[in-house]
Amino acid sequence: MPEVLEAPLVVEFPFTRSLGPVQSAFLTGLRDRVVLGVRTGDGRVLVPPVEYDPVTAEEIGDGGLVEVAPTGTVTTWAWNHAPRRGQPLSTPFAWALVRLDGADTALLHALDAPGPDAVHTGMRVRVRWAEERSGAITDIACFEPYEGEPAEPTGHSGEFADPVTGIVAPARLDYTYSPGRAQSAYLHALAGRRMVGERCPSCRKVYVPPRGACPTCGVATAEQVEVGPRGTVTTFCIVNIKAKNLDIEVPYVYAHIALDGADLALHGRIAGIPYDQVRMGLRVEAVWTEGARHPDHYRPSGEPDADYETYKELL
Ligand SMILES: [Zn+2]
């Protein structure tokens, strides 16, 4: 039995979006400690606001903005006993849907409470504002229990002199990956500078990297087949955006490569040739750097280009 491989993986990118008039007013309102919703054609008030009526699909626009109170009622909730990095509170809290006074729909946010016994549907809560606010949903630090009367709206018109027009929301997936039997064998072979796929016993296709089963036939694959280390570029793209934590100058080429003997293209970076000379049919070979457990990139092998007929089924 080979050792079971495991690696920590992080997928992280900033997601930038423009807001449009309704979301702009909503988030700018939070910055100024005002909660805005929209009124739909049938008179209901939606918080958080939307740009289009969810029933009629008619545009609502910023003409439908209406202020609601920063106090409200919990309509449902779930206890989060182990907060994760980036969540609104670092101590255990409730995720709650809160219908603010004056609204007909509920807003999802954190509710700070000493424990799940202190939370119930129907309990009264109010907004706890963040000390520093920038025009984001986190301007509401959380909700907190509240015993008093419904708060009065301030009478805000929903118009702002310096509205927030965009947000950057960081997206992050942080997980542990274990590749399983087939891919572990593939990775062990790569560390020894061999490329090994698996053949389907039914359709005879060779999958590289192997996944342990044929996705077409639905049967397990076990027969190991050595492929490569040369192959053919079947299709490619030129990357012009520099990735954080990746020490590669742009532009560079990322390609689908059909290794010799494989019936599925894998992807890899192409180097050793100007980016604008990479082409379909280009013959390449894997390059391992000193001590590497997998190929760093692929470079031209010097062979004549492959005929389209030889790889057209692998695009
Ligand atoms: Zn098959």
Side-chain angles (χ1 to χ4, degrees):
M1 278 292 287
E3 64 172 310
V4 175
L5 298 175
E6 209 179 78
L9 287 183
V10 177
V11 178
E12 188 174 30
F13 56 91
F15 178 65
T16 305
R17 65 163 284 183
S18 56
L19 292 172
V22 173
Q23 302 305 326
S24 168
F26 177 62
L27 294 180
T28 308
L30 297 185
R31 183 194 67 192
D32 296 358
R33 300 206 289 190
V34 169
V35 186
L36 296 167
V38 285
R39 193 182 299 280
T40 61
D42 62 5
R44 293 189 311 142
V45 174
L46 312 184
V47 180
V50 294
E51 285 112 341
Y52 295 89
D53 190 313
V55 177
T56 65
E58 270 181 50
E59 185 168 357
I60 297 172
D62 52 1
L65 289 167
V66 52
E67 189 189 357
V68 298
T71 53
T73 303
V74 171
T75 63
T76 188
W77 59 280
W79 189 251
N80 177 12
H81 57 86
R84 304 195 62 187
R85 166 197 157 108
Q87 291 191 332
L89 296 169
S90 56
T91 51
F93 64 90
W95 286 115
L97 278 171
V98 176
R99 185 168 48 74
L100 293 170
D101 297 324
D104 293 288
T105 57
L107 171 80
L108 177 69
H109 216 296
L111 167 60
D112 189 9
D117 292 344
V119 184
H120 60 271
T121 295
M123 78 182 281
R124 296 284 297 160
V125 295
R126 72 175 166 198
V127 169
R128 180 191 297 163
W129 296 104
E131 280 186 23
E132 295 198 2
R133 295 176 308 280
S134 59
I137 191 64
T138 46
D139 291 353
I140 296 177
C142 61
F143 283 87
E144 60 190 16
Y146 172 69
E147 298 290 339
E149 294 293 308
E152 287 294 322
T154 65
H156 202 284
S157 67
E159 280 185 43
F160 299 90
D162 54 343
V164 176
T165 56
I167 54 169
V168 179
R172 182 182 165 99
L173 275 175
D174 189 340
Y175 60 101
T176 303
Y177 181 71
S178 187
R181 177 198 60 79
Q183 280 195 83
S184 291
Y186 170 72
L187 292 170
H188 280 297
L190 279 187
R193 303 201 172 193
R194 295 188 311 123
M195 304 172 109
V196 176
E198 286 185 352
R199 189 191 307 277
C200 171
S202 176
C203 68
R204 310 297 294 163
K205 281 190 172 170
V206 174
Y207 290 100
V208 189
R211 306 286 187 204
C214 174
T216 310
C217 307
V219 296
T221 57
E223 183 195 342
Q224 295 204 331
V225 181
E226 187 149 345
V227 299
R230 291 184 167 178
T232 300
V233 171
T234 62
T235 184
F236 64 94
C237 70
I238 298 169
V239 180
N240 284 292
I241 298 171
K242 188 152 176 57
K244 192 179 160 189
N245 303 331
L246 192 61
D247 191 23
I248 298 171
E249 289 305 312
V250 293
Y252 64 88
V253 173
Y254 212 66
H256 275 197
I257 299 156
L259 293 171
D260 295 342
D263 291 297
L264 183 73
L266 48 68
H267 23 96
R269 184 169 60 90
I270 306 293
I273 179 174
Y275 71 91
D276 56 357
Q277 290 178 30
V278 175
R279 55 200 179 265
M280 292 171 74
L282 179 70
R283 294 285 296 160
V284 293
E285 61 191 6
V287 178
W288 275 263
T289 52
E290 186 68 31
R293 290 180 58 90
H294 53 81
D296 177 69
H297 62 272
Y298 293 76
R299 69 181 170 210
S301 67
E303 298 160 280
D305 284 5
D307 186 56
Y308 179 68
E309 291 298 314
T310 64
Y311 63 86
K312 68 176 185 184
E313 300 296 333
L314 301 174
L315 286 173

